[in-house]
Amino acid sequence: STAREIKQREEIESLAFNLERANNRLRQLDKQKSEFVSIASHQLRSPLTSIAGYASLLREGNYGNVPSKMNEPLDRIEQSARLMAESIEDFLNVSRIESGNMKYDFTDFNLREETEHICDDLRGVALRNGLILLFRTDLSGNSIVHADLGKTQQILHNLINNALKYTPKGTITVVVRDDDAKKRIYVDVLDTGIGMNEDTLHSIFQKFERGDKANTVNVKGTGLGLYVALKMAEAMQGTITAHSDGEGKGSRFTLELPRVAS
Ligand code: ADP
């Protein structure tokens, strides 16, 4: 039976070898895919800048008077260019995350202040959509975090913009609170919008996942925003959680970051 054992060992070794080869091949393909996305996205970016730039020059009357009839098509060009730029940024972020090329620049900053600024910036957009955007704090200590400021702003923008996108009417409430014992700071983004069922809740942080309801409210998106936001939060020792009591019952998204050690 030693001969049988040797044969078995040979078979196992050959299987392991093939598996290893297949794995290497997959890793290589994955890398090529990331490179392709990155190159394609960079190539799309500059013509897009030119489309948006000329639309804005036209609108500002740099090529002569703009008849009022032309405002709407110019608006549409600008809006589409902005949406496309956002999608491209999402693709680039995914390829940066997957190739390990996402760079984080850690500093200490006040999360409450930053969150309040973003709310002030987005309040106008909310009002134009007939929504109220409220900001509150419920802090027992300071709200200084050690994280990448730009990435944190991007996450908050993403969560609040989603709340605006998926809320046909009502209120968006942003709350900054803390847990002194756990040394964590939380930003809740609560909305009175379309909400999510259990199935949707479980998939939204995955790549390209969009809720079934997302398309019916006619909201454009790539389904990459939350995937990117969660990866960024995790890289900063934080996380993002989502909650909803069900469809039509609003949603709550929470960004959690560690308070800076004092
Ligand atoms: P996108 O908005 O481009 O679809 P995201 O990754 O930001 O991509 O969100 C994924 C999905 O999560 C959305 O398609 C939607 O179904 C759901 N979602 C996100 N935010 C909300 C919200 N505030 N209310 C209801 N559903 C939401």
Side-chain angles (χ1 to χ4, degrees), residues 231-251:
K231 292 283 182 203
M232 286 178 171
E234 285 174 349
M236 302 189 290
Q237 278 73 55
T239 192
I240 300 174
T241 52
H243 174 87
S244 173
D245 284 333
E247 272 169 23
K249 297 193 172 154
S251 307

Side-chain angles (χ1 to χ4, degrees), residues 104-111 144-153 155 232-233 235-238 255-260:
Y104 292 84
D105 186 8
F106 285 85
T107 54
D108 292 354
F109 61 88
N110 191 327
L111 187 59
I144 311 294
V145 294
H146 184 68
D148 182 306
L149 175 59
K151 305 262 190 306
T152 307
Q153 289 169 332
I155 295 171
M232 286 178 171
M236 302 189 290
Q237 278 73 55
L255 166 66
E256 178 184 333
L257 287 173
R259 171 181 287 156
V260 75

